[in-house]
């Protein structure tokens, strides 16, 4: 720890304190430790100091000072990153935006709002509760909107509402030199200028620090129904999902849990009447007639595909219980093997290849001897293998090995190493295989052009890219 | 013309002929004249030669040669641009991609396809006709997919299916130095790497030449119904549109025609039973129950908002006749004032400001003494004023003046000068007002970094940017 503190530029911290006030700059060990990691298994690394920003101007001043002192910085939101995005491997400043939680404006007629980047989805939706509108992108954890933008997040509702990418109209970001840039606007669409909004989304804090976001909102559906259907085989479950999409059913959510995950979830969430078999969790949203019609279409597909019964409900309590079980999948896994930790993969393939991929992955899991339930956003072709890491000396190594095997399989099937968690520290090594070399070269050129001193979240995303 | 030919690098044309063959390179006056303009009112300018590419490799060779000779090039597709995108103001090469019409792959299970950039939407949908799928983005004209990507096009179906931006999964583009870059892939979503796909979309050929596109497809709706409703006032029509969106009706199309446009369309398309009043054209898509339910909700909204009756039909012939009238709005305008030409504006604002904007625009039109029907994608807040340009010496000047006034009004209301037509030559002067100066500076930096010799469509989009 002393080494990090030494490496840290004492002048910079003094300048930050002078500019922002002592209350917004901390070098306390406990605070630095909390900012040394996200929720993944990547080695933590201590920042030299943590700056708590309250405004875009605070961020701009901090970044400008870091740039002047050539000290790196990593933005920090809720710390829910699974791929080490928030870890500062080279030390420097952790720039905490979690106090930037203001809803700056809500425009009900235009169904949009503007928020500070540190607000969580949950707090935003709480604030919106009387408008009849909501923000649908739901990555599971209590992530901040800024973090979701930076990692191009999505979640269970993406099959209906799109990912964060489709739900951001514009944003404010601080560039490496401390300048404040405003992109996009409030209009639904525009054909003027380069799409800087989407250049920032998914850039993982390496091109700028996102401080404000203009979001699209959606009307809360009039009617919501939930259903569960079980299958003897995984391929029947996947074929059913493909049919549902091809029939144009505007499904609200479409999730797949494999037999192992179901075993864990049945135990944890006390799901009665369900067996440890491949299972689809479905949600139908829309007007009541539309929902009834969707259920009818899906029921016919399920019957055709050999589904074992089809149970649906509109009762809010039962619906909530079902989806709570889905949302608690991760905790169910942890309870399944007490004392183990969980490492979550994030592979994605074209949906036509999903069945083949999961069959291969299950063989890999069996060969590894590990327990690894599978749960996924089948409508997007994206799924998570929740690898349960044994508390043994070789546990983490075995889990990494399985994780890497799964990624290789997905890439071989035309997929991506990450559907929604991002690259961070954890997936850098795969970018060379996943992306065209010219595209990767252009990414590097953009990074060097927009951050010539390499201060913005160095060592993340681009393989071999460091200061 | 001789001057352009002289400016042209004779060596370059010889090299192009040697590389691509004589049949793919033309310096004929008629061919060059055809490639000197799009469909807008911008002054034509002759390219020194026209190259007809058949493959990505042809494009790569041509761009590399242009770059080596420091000769500018502008891509050309169907030539339907309204803002001078295809005009080569500095001469050089017109790179015609209209022979690149292959559908390279169709994946029905994944609901995607890959096409060469020169294919038109109509030809693509014709090719897809037996798959049950279609490509929904419909900008009206017989545009190519590549041109639609380059200008970030949309059209009447964007309110339901999104613009081209939401329907492209990846693409192949040739960079300024002739290197071929492949971006994105076939997965629905990915959180890895900078979003180069969307950096290219809307870049108007200034960062690269798009040669192939991976497109999302959608299931053809089971049921389609059309409706028309008229109002005494424009603000009632706009308020109705806002309500429809806020009630969460998944409307297929939602178009507004003002009293003047209706007068023109009633005459041209012989619409019986309709009056020259502000009118909404609606399309409902989905399952039959869903469509019935949507119609019920909209009927109640219309009644509440003072709509003058509500007439809907599922009969394909009557439906087609209605929407043909909408699609022929432009031709109806031309027939309305024989001998006049038409200049089309493309302003967009947040929908809450649309009523105010159109009222202001109608006052501007009255003051101008010109005839200018209004038709628009009200669901997106985007509308076109079809300014009928008198065949008088000052006609064009008066039309430009009105066009500019409309843009200024839209910008003052937080809008954009172009919802879907792009910037090209025509809207450059507004970018300084519309975009944040730092964002505009980053755009210039990106342009110079990716095209250091300024050969890619110089003089377009960025104000004051030339070689």
């Amino acid at each position: 720890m002393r080494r990090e503190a030494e490496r840290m530029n004492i002048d910079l911290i003094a300048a930050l304190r002078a500019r922002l006030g002592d209350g917004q700059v901390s070098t306390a060990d406990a605070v630095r430790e909390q900012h040394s990691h996200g929720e993944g298994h990547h080695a933590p690394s201590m920042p030299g100091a943590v700056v708590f920003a309250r405004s875009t101007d605070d961020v701009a001043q901090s970044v400008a000072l870091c740039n002047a002192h050539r000290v790196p910085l990593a933005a920090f939101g809720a710390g829910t990153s699974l791929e080490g995005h928030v870890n500062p491997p080279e030390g420097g400043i952790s720039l905490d935006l979690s106090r930037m939680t203001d809803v700056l404006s809500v425009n009900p007629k235009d169904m949009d709002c503007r928020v500070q980047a540190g607000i969580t989805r949950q707090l935003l939706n709480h604030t919106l509760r009387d408008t009849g509108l909501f923000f649908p992108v739901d990555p599971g954890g209590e992530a901040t909107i800024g973090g979701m933008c930076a990692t191009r997040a999505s979640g269970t509702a993406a099959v209906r509402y799109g990912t964060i990418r489709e739900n951001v109209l514009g944003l404010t970001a601080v560039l490496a030199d401390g300048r404040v840039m405003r992109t996009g606007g409030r209009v639904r669409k525009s054909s003027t200028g380069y799409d800087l909004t989407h250049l920032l989304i998914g850039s993982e804090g390496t091109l700028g620090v996102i401080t404000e976001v203009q979001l699209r909102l959606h009307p809360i559906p009039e009617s919501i129904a939930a259903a569960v259907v079980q299958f003897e085989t995984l391929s029947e479950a996947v074929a059913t999902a493909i049919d549902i999409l091809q029939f144009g059913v505007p499904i609200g959510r479409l999730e797949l849990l494999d037999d192992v995950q179901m075993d864990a979830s049945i135990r944890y969430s006390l799901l009665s009447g369900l067996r440890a078999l491949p299972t689809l969790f479905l949600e139908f949203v829309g007007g009541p007639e539309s929902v009834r019609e969707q259920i009818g279409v899906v029921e016919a597909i399920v019957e055709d595909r050999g589904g074992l019964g089809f149970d649906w409900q509109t009762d809010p309590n039962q619906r909530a219980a079902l989806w709570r079980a889905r949302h608690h999948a991760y905790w169910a896994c942890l309870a399944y093997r007490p004392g183990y930790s969980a490492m979550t993969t994030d592979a994605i393939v074209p949906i036509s290849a999903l069945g083949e991929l999961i069959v291969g992955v299950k063989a890999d899991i069996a060969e590894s001897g590990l327990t690894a339930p599978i749960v996924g956003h089948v409508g997007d072709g994206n799924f998570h293998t929740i690898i349960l890491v044994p508390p043994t000396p070789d546990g983490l190594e075995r889990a990494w090995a399985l994780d890497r095997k799964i990624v290789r399989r997905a890439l071989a099937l035309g997929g991506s190493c990450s559907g929604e968690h991002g690259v961070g520290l954890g997936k850098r090594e795969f970018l060379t295989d996943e992306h065209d070399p010219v595209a990767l070269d252009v990414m590097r050129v953009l990074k060097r052009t927009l951050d010539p001193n390499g201060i913005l979240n160095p060592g993340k995303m681009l393989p071999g890219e460091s200061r």
Side-chain angles (χ1 to χ4, degrees), chain A residues 123-141:
Chain A
L123 179 55
L124 171 60
N125 278 328
H126 181 73
T127 309
L128 294 171
R129 68 194 179 284
D130 294 329
T131 63
L133 302 170
F134 78 118
F135 180 69
V137 184
D138 169 15

Side-chain angles (χ1 to χ4, degrees), chain A residues 234-413:
Chain A
L234 256 165
S235 60
E236 285 167 349
V238 173
T240 301
I242 292 176
D243 282 357
I244 289 169
L245 299 175
Q246 282 199 316
F247 273 81
V249 178
I251 195 86
R253 300 179 203 258
L254 180 52
E255 297 285 301
L256 172 70
L257 284 72
D258 83 340
D259 52 339
V260 185
Q261 178 64 58
M262 281 304 293
D263 193 29
S265 289
I266 289 166
R267 289 162 199 256
Y268 185 80
S269 298
L270 308 175
L271 295 172
S272 62
L274 292 173
R275 293 153 61 195
L277 288 173
T279 304
L280 291 180
F281 278 53
L282 306 102
E283 188 173 87
F284 303 92
V285 295
E289 297 297 325
S290 166
V291 165
R292 257 195 291 279
E293 181 175 50
Q294 294 174 44
I295 290 172
V297 172
V298 170
E299 197 160 14
I301 292 170
V302 164
E303 196 174 326
D304 203 45
R305 287 291 181 186
L308 306 171
F310 179 76
D311 191 26
W312 62 275
Q313 29 220 337
T314 51
D315 176 79
N317 289 326
Q318 291 187 302
R319 196 160 51 83
L322 262 183
W323 279 95
R324 206 176 311 124
R326 163 63 190 92
H327 283 304
H328 289 175
Y330 181 81
W331 306 111
C333 291
L334 288 177
Y336 199 52
R337 289 286 180 273
Y340 286 46
S341 63
M343 179 187 294
T344 308
T345 74
D346 187 33
I348 181 167
V349 286
I351 193 170
S352 64
L354 189 62
E356 182 184 344
L357 176 60
I358 297 184
V359 167
V361 166
K362 288 194 73 85
D364 293 339
I365 295 169
E367 199 188 300
S368 76
L370 296 168
T371 303
I374 290 175
V375 52
H377 315 309
V378 62
D380 302 322
N382 182 209
F383 69 95
H384 309 301
T385 312
I386 303 176
I387 306 174
L388 292 167
V389 186
T392 55
D394 66 344
L396 207 53
E397 198 182 308
R398 288 168 65 200
W400 285 125
L402 178 57
D403 173 59
R404 269 141 186 72
K405 224 167 184 177
I406 292 171
V407 171
R408 297 274 171 220
R409 273 196 193 275
L411 294 182
L413 289 166

